[in-house]
Amino acid sequence: MRRFLPDGFISGILLIILLAYLLPGIGRQGSAIELKVLIRYGISLLFFFYGLRLSPEKLRADLSNWRLHLLIQSITFLVFPLVVLAFRPLLAGSENEMLWLAVFFLAALPSTVSSSVVMVSIAEGNLPSAIFNASISGVIGILLTPLWMGIFLEKQSEAFAFGEVIRDLVVQILIPVFIGLLLHRWWGVWANRNKRYLSLFDKSVILMVVYRSFSDSFLNGVFTSIMLHELLLLGGSVIGLFFFIFEGTKVLTRLMHFNREDRITILFASSKKSLVHGSVMVMVLFGDTSVGSLFLVPVMIYHAFQLFYISIVARRYGKEKIEGLKD
């Protein structure tokens, strides 16, 4: 019977989404404990622990793995948009053209940072490459996402706050990882020995991110801004897009003869899209106009589904690795 019960982390994600629907706004700005602040420090601590577990020697060697890095970024910023672009002739000039553009916006976004790294860690993949590619993806996306959207939008409302994004990337991710790397010599054994408990912390941070994302969306009426048939069409489109990229990447990594750890990292890092970057870019491109809500809907659906599905896959891969070591 136990084998048919849902995984604890999956159940947690579903319950958190339900909580965000029933009780949105917990920890909003002005609260005694602001969820935004907790998440910010939680992510920094999460990456500090990852730095503790990383071997500096392995990290240096991994940075030369250019095939892996090039493939991840190519799938994220070239394959994704080109797949969606192939459907434009079918919808150009129709009443669904705006829905197509919303999906194209999703396809042009960078990968996630924290959740990608967490899932790779759970699956026992190549963690140094996951951190490197998730971090660099956000920087590349600041430039490439508006360039892709600029093909179809007549004008953009303003330039991205590139300096602020770089600052947050350095302060929240790179500096904690670097400090962890420096302390690996003394605390690395402790971090690896307590990996199970640190994994629980990782998942707690992800659950906070999920709650805040959905809470804000329910409060702002993101899901009530479009018709039911449009919501179903968007949902089917983004889930179909996810599986096309996910399964295609599986085949491609096998054909290119990547090892197990690299395949996991490529698979998870290249198939994800960032809700954080999506929310920021919608505000920049569309300001406070109502059309901005439409562009967030496919990102929200994709965000929820990718966390739900990839967490299942990550747990399965992680168990396979543990069982393989026992044999």
Side-chain angles (χ1 to χ4, degrees), residues 45-83:
L45 194 55
L46 181 153
F47 279 94
F48 166 73
F49 288 139
Y50 284 139
L52 278 182
R53 288 163 52 191
L54 288 177
S55 164
E57 293 76 18
K58 188 178 187 306
L59 179 60
R60 282 194 294 268
D62 189 73
L63 291 178
S64 64
N65 193 354
W66 62 270
R67 285 201 316 150
L68 180 146
H69 308 316
L70 181 61
L71 182 58
I72 290 176
Q73 303 308 324
S74 296
I75 293 173
T76 301
F77 293 111
L78 291 178
V79 176
F80 255 108
L82 290 175
V83 168

Side-chain angles (χ1 to χ4, degrees), residues 279-306:
S279 302
V280 172
M281 292 180 185
V282 160
M283 290 300 297
V284 169
L285 293 171
F286 306 104
D288 296 324
T289 61
S290 59
V291 73
S293 296
L294 172 63
F295 279 74
L296 266 184
V297 171
V299 183
M300 291 295 302
I301 296 172
Y302 194 96
H303 175 75
F305 186 78
Q306 72 183 7

Side-chain angles (χ1 to χ4, degrees), residues 98-126:
M98 189 59 70
L99 297 181
W100 172 87
L101 188 57
V103 177
F104 183 78
F105 171 70
L106 163 72
L109 289 174
S111 177
T112 59
V113 178
S114 54
S115 61
S116 286
V117 177
V118 169
M119 296 305 175
V120 169
S121 175
I122 293 172
E124 300 288 346
N126 186 332

Side-chain angles (χ1 to χ4, degrees), residues 204-242:
S204 299
V205 174
I206 294 301
L207 290 177
M208 285 194 292
V209 172
V210 171
Y211 172 81
R212 182 167 181 261
S213 300
F214 277 87
S215 175
D216 290 347
S217 298
F218 290 134
L219 287 173
N220 295 328
V222 169
F223 290 102
T224 59
S225 62
I226 62 175
M227 304 293 288
L228 178 60
H229 72 277
E230 294 177 330
L231 185 62
L232 293 174
L233 182 59
L234 282 174
S237 299
V238 300
I239 291 174
L241 176 63
F242 170 84

Side-chain angles (χ1 to χ4, degrees), residues 1-300:
M1 175 64 71
R2 189 174 182 181
R3 62 181 294 189
F4 296 106
L5 294 176
D7 176 85
F9 187 41
I10 307 303
S11 301
I13 291 175
L14 296 176
L15 289 174
I16 282 293
I17 294 174
L18 178 62
L19 178 64
Y21 177 74
L22 296 175
L23 295 172
I26 298 174
R28 288 189 347 187
Q29 188 171 1
S31 302
I33 300 177
E34 294 186 11
L35 192 58
K36 180 180 179 181
V37 176
L38 281 179
I39 291 173
R40 183 184 303 122
Y41 286 110
I43 289 175
S44 295
L45 194 55
L46 181 153
F47 279 94
F48 166 73
F49 288 139
Y50 284 139
L52 278 182
R53 288 163 52 191
L54 288 177
S55 164
E57 293 76 18
K58 188 178 187 306
L59 179 60
R60 282 194 294 268
D62 189 73
L63 291 178
S64 64
N65 193 354
W66 62 270
R67 285 201 316 150
L68 180 146
H69 308 316
L70 181 61
L71 182 58
I72 290 176
Q73 303 308 324
S74 296
I75 293 173
T76 301
F77 293 111
L78 291 178
V79 176
F80 255 108
L82 290 175
V83 168
V84 179
L85 194 60
F87 289 88
R88 177 169 167 76
L90 301 177
L91 300 170
S94 72
E95 61 180 8
N96 291 324
E97 183 175 10
M98 189 59 70
L99 297 181
W100 172 87
L101 188 57
V103 177
F104 183 78
F105 171 70
L106 163 72
L109 289 174
S111 177
T112 59
V113 178
S114 54
S115 61
S116 286
V117 177
V118 169
M119 296 305 175
V120 169
S121 175
I122 293 172
E124 300 288 346
N126 186 332
L127 194 57
S129 284
I131 294 175
F132 174 78
N133 281 281
S135 301
I136 200 67
S137 179
V139 177
I140 296 173
I142 296 168
L143 301 174
L144 289 189
T145 301
L147 286 177
W148 273 117
M149 292 303 295
I151 298 174
F152 304 102
L153 299 177
E154 292 183 1
K155 61 179 180 179
Q156 299 169 23
S157 57
E158 58 184 278
F160 285 98
F162 186 83
E164 292 182 13
V165 175
I166 294 296
R167 181 199 63 199
D168 290 343
L169 180 68
V170 170
V171 172
Q172 281 192 261
I173 297 172
L174 298 183
I175 289 178
V177 168
F178 180 71
I179 294 174
L181 278 168
L182 290 178
L183 297 176
H184 171 82
R185 179 179 176 183
W186 295 278
W187 291 358
V189 173
W190 172 86
N192 284 300
R193 187 172 60 243
N194 292 279
K195 185 167 61 174
R196 177 183 176 185
Y197 300 104
L198 295 180
S199 177
L200 292 176
F201 175 75
D202 298 348
K203 293 170 185 174
S204 299
V205 174
I206 294 301
L207 290 177
M208 285 194 292
V209 172
V210 171
Y211 172 81
R212 182 167 181 261
S213 300
F214 277 87
S215 175
D216 290 347
S217 298
F218 290 134
L219 287 173
N220 295 328
V222 169
F223 290 102
T224 59
S225 62
I226 62 175
M227 304 293 288
L228 178 60
H229 72 277
E230 294 177 330
L231 185 62
L232 293 174
L233 182 59
L234 282 174
S237 299
V238 300
I239 291 174
L241 176 63
F242 170 84
F243 278 115
F244 181 85
I245 297 295
F246 194 79
E247 296 302 324
T249 302
K250 278 185 183 179
V251 174
L252 187 58
T253 54
R254 290 193 186 101
L255 291 175
M256 296 180 69
H257 303 293
F258 283 100
N259 62 39
R260 177 191 180 277
E261 288 75 18
D262 286 354
R263 286 203 309 271
I264 289 172
T265 298
I266 295 168
L267 189 61
F268 289 2
S270 62
S271 62
K272 290 188 146 215
K273 290 294 179 179
S274 173
L275 174 62
V276 174
H277 285 81
S279 302
V280 172
M281 292 180 185
V282 160
M283 290 300 297
V284 169
L285 293 171
F286 306 104
D288 296 324
T289 61
S290 59
V291 73
S293 296
L294 172 63
F295 279 74
L296 266 184
V297 171
V299 183
M300 291 295 302

